[in-house]
Amino acid sequence: MKIFFIICQTAILYGFFLLGEFIQGLLHISIPGSIIGMLILFSLLHVKWFRPRWIETGSHFLIKIMPLLFIPATVGAMDYLSLFRKYPSSLGIVFISTMIVIILSSAMSQRLNRNKLKKVVSEAEKEMSI
């Protein structure tokens, strides 16, 4: 049953990505569709029209496999070895930008987990005081 929830919730997240891609193509703007989709999801979560629990299991799954999601980008960079030989500084840029993404992603997920833990603890304390 958990696999079904993961598939459905990942499909919802993918739907936000596709919506962002559609809007980006429709309006011909330079912002990537994935960012637009993420902003739409963030906005819906912020105004509480969309509940986090609707995508919680799927997003936790994606966070768990996040290191695997970075491998294709790294392997794809191997296709451009001639570019790296011609412009060695581009190798540093790719490495630094990849490290920034990994660090920010892990910091954000840790912060979100900490906030969730604080919320659970405060709810438990409220229940204990009643």
Side-chain angles (χ1 to χ4, degrees), residues 73-100:
T74 307
V75 171
M78 299 301 285
D79 289 338
Y80 298 99
L81 285 178
S82 61
L83 177 71
F84 294 140
R85 286 188 188 113
K86 189 173 182 180
Y87 303 104
S89 61
S90 61
L91 184 61
I93 292 168
V94 168
F95 177 76
I96 290 170
S97 62
T98 302
M99 288 294 104
I100 289 171

Side-chain angles (χ1 to χ4, degrees), residues 7-130:
I7 292 170
C8 289
Q9 292 176 5
T10 304
I12 291 170
L13 291 170
Y14 188 65
F16 280 104
F17 164 74
L18 291 177
L19 178 62
E21 288 289 319
F22 174 74
I23 292 171
Q24 190 267 338
L26 188 69
L27 300 177
H28 303 289
I29 52 180
S30 60
I31 301 172
S34 57
I35 302 298
I36 295 170
M38 209 174 357
L39 289 173
I40 292 169
L41 175 60
F42 174 76
S43 300
L44 291 175
L45 288 168
H46 186 69
V47 297
K48 298 183 180 176
W49 289 356
F50 193 86
R51 296 186 183 191
R53 66 184 172 97
W54 294 346
I55 55 169
E56 192 170 33
T57 307
S59 59
H60 283 284
F61 171 74
L62 291 174
I63 289 171
K64 261 191 233 177
I65 65 165
M66 191 180 293
L68 292 176
L69 300 176
F70 287 111
I71 291 172
T74 307
V75 171
M78 299 301 285
D79 289 338
Y80 298 99
L81 285 178
S82 61
L83 177 71
F84 294 140
R85 286 188 188 113
K86 189 173 182 180
Y87 303 104
S89 61
S90 61
L91 184 61
I93 292 168
V94 168
F95 177 76
I96 290 170
S97 62
T98 302
M99 288 294 104
I100 289 171
V101 168
I102 290 172
I103 291 167
L104 288 177
S105 298
S106 64
M108 183 59 78
S109 65
Q110 287 177 354
R111 183 173 180 192
L112 291 172
N113 281 335
R114 245 182 292 152
N115 289 343
K116 185 176 179 182
L117 181 62
K118 286 179 186 178
K119 184 178 177 183
V120 169
V121 168
S122 68
E123 288 175 2
E125 288 174 348
K126 285 179 186 176
E127 288 180 14
M128 301 274 291
S129 65
I130 294 178

